[in-house]
Amino acid sequence: MDIKEYNNKKQQPFSKQRSLIILLSFFGEFPWYFNFFLHSCKNNPTVSFYIITDNNKIFNKPKNVSLVTKTIKQFQKLATEKLGFPTALIQAYKICDFRPSLGFLFPELIAGFDFWGYGDIDIIYGNLRKFLTDELLDNYDIFSFRPEYLTGSFTILRNTKKINTLFMQSRDYKIVLSQNEYFNFDECNFIFSPLQDEISIDEIPCQIESMTHVVRRKEKEHSLRPYFDWHLVEGSAGNVKWNNGKIIYMNQFEAILYHFLKFKDRCKHKVLIPKNKNEVICFSQNNIYKRKLS
């Protein structure tokens, strides 16, 4: 599908809620957990999803999921033209550094939406609208669902020129997007541990100024309203249930999403997605199994 086709086909924003579109990218053969991801998109019908990919072999694609067909080279060419300097994109994982720029690179996709986001496909969404209420969206400009740093797995941004070009506020964005090295620009330049130890980001030596650096700086300047809080489950946590579109952790807490991280490599039994409302998918530390509701 070319630009004109998917522009004409583009879904209209939903009228009663703040409209939201999620931009994702993946190149190559889709992994085993991709069907879980698609099913969780289906469970969020008031959110639109666009996947930038060179793979159009998707079966059982929900109505609110669309594809933007591009190769890595085509993506790189577009980025170079839009940004005005030579960009690097030799391997697919490097595209993570480009995530904060997706709204700038693809304005035709986010046009008309109140908010847009970026993220991974190694996740299953819970009930997004329970967390992304209109009240919350009206009071903040950028949203991360960990308290310490922006999450590459899922970040939401207000659709304005100021926010869509926020990545350009990093003194290092041209270095990041023009070199083959992956810098973890979309998050925090790999300083996860000290941030989790509650050390100020200004006190931690870094190779580059990441998006978290930019957001925290703008917050101090009172020119940006970021939201940081813990609403997700990650890794081989265990005690996670996926029940009728909800992510439940330890039978107590509802989460906005479950990010597989290392779990996707450790998982031994890759069961099918639930077929009806009487089935619950349960995630242990290294396995997936189904349970029927009594």
Side-chain angles (χ1 to χ4, degrees):
M1 183 186 302
D2 61 23
I3 289 284
K4 290 183 179 180
E5 288 177 314
Y6 65 67
N7 246 355
N8 293 332
K9 178 178 178 292
K10 186 158 66 72
Q11 305 156 28
Q12 293 300 312
F14 300 91
S15 58
K16 292 185 178 181
Q17 296 172 308
R18 306 296 178 265
S19 52
L20 172 61
I21 182 170
I22 309 299
L23 305 183
L24 308 112
S25 59
F26 191 88
F27 297 96
E29 184 177 352
F30 289 113
W32 66 267
Y33 48 81
F34 185 61
N35 283 332
F36 284 80
F37 169 80
L38 286 179
H39 192 69
S40 72
C41 293
K42 182 180 179 181
N43 286 334
N44 287 280
T46 65
V47 179
S48 298
F49 302 87
Y50 269 76
I51 304 174
I52 303 164
T53 182
D54 58 355
N55 185 348
N56 60 7
K57 296 179 181 178
I58 297 183
F59 304 98
N60 301 317
K61 182 171 65 65
K63 293 180 180 179
N64 59 332
V65 176
S66 300
L67 302 183
V68 180
T69 306
K70 282 193 180 298
T71 65
I72 292 181
K73 288 185 177 180
Q74 288 172 332
F75 184 100
Q76 180 182 10
K77 181 181 178 181
L78 173 69
T80 295
E81 291 173 352
K82 290 286 185 72
L83 292 168
F85 58 86
T87 58
L89 200 59
I90 302 301
Q91 40 86 22
Y93 200 70
K94 173 65 181 177
I95 205 170
C96 296
D97 278 339
F98 286 81
R99 284 172 177 160
S101 68
L102 290 178
F104 174 80
L105 297 179
F106 295 93
E108 70 280 356
L109 295 184
I110 66 174
F113 286 87
D114 298 313
F115 291 84
W116 68 279
Y118 57 81
D120 289 323
I121 65 166
D122 60 342
I123 63 176
I124 49 176
Y125 298 112
N127 183 351
L128 295 179
R129 288 294 184 180
K130 178 171 183 177
F131 294 87
L132 296 170
T133 64
D134 285 352
E135 180 181 4
L136 189 72
L137 293 172
D138 286 346
N139 284 283
Y140 296 93
D141 302 310
I142 187 166
F143 301 80
S144 178
F145 301 98
R146 286 192 64 111
E148 314 95 340
Y149 49 83
L150 291 185
T151 48
S153 59
F154 191 60
T155 292
I156 302 297
L157 306 93
R158 185 177 299 277
N159 186 9
T160 66
K161 181 179 179 180
K162 172 185 173 181
I163 304 300
N164 296 348
T165 57
L166 189 64
F167 69 98
M168 294 182 183
Q169 295 299 309
S170 167
R171 63 174 179 264
D172 300 312
Y173 86 95
K174 289 186 178 180
I175 294 174
V176 168
L177 301 183
S178 63
Q179 295 189 17
N180 295 335
E181 178 183 354
Y182 170 55
F183 291 94
N184 189 236
F185 178 65
D186 54 326
E187 295 185 320
C188 61
N189 191 218
F190 306 108
I191 56 171
F192 308 111
S193 294
L195 288 177
Q196 290 167 13
D197 289 337
E198 299 185 354
I199 300 175
S200 171
I201 195 168
D202 298 328
E203 300 174 9
I204 306 169
C206 278
Q207 182 183 10
I208 56 101
E209 187 178 48
S210 70
M211 283 298 294
T212 301
H213 287 89
V214 171
V215 168
R216 288 304 193 187
R217 171 162 51 82
K218 293 296 181 181
E219 180 183 27
K220 287 183 178 180
E221 296 170 357
H222 303 290
S223 60
L224 184 71
R225 301 171 299 170
Y227 178 89
F228 288 89
D229 207 341
W230 203 315
H231 295 305
L232 56 77
V233 182
E234 288 190 305
S236 301
N239 295 312
V240 180
K241 294 179 181 178
W242 188 23
N243 183 1
N244 289 327
K246 296 180 180 179
I247 302 293
I248 308 296
Y249 179 52
M250 298 182 67
N251 293 319
Q252 299 181 57
F253 309 105
E254 186 171 351
I256 193 169
L257 61 86
Y258 177 33
H259 186 195
F260 285 172
L261 282 177
K262 295 181 180 179
F263 174 79
K264 61 194 175 196
D265 299 320
R266 295 175 180 172
C267 182
K268 299 176 182 178
H269 181 213
K270 304 171 179 63
V271 301
L272 299 175
I273 60 176
K275 294 182 178 180
N276 57 64
K277 293 184 177 181
N278 293 322
E279 291 180 335
V280 177
I281 296 293
C282 301
F283 301 86
S284 66
Q285 290 186 334
N286 58 7
N287 219 333
I288 306 176
Y289 56 96
K290 285 185 181 181
R291 182 170 65 84
K292 288 187 177 181
L293 293 175
S294 57

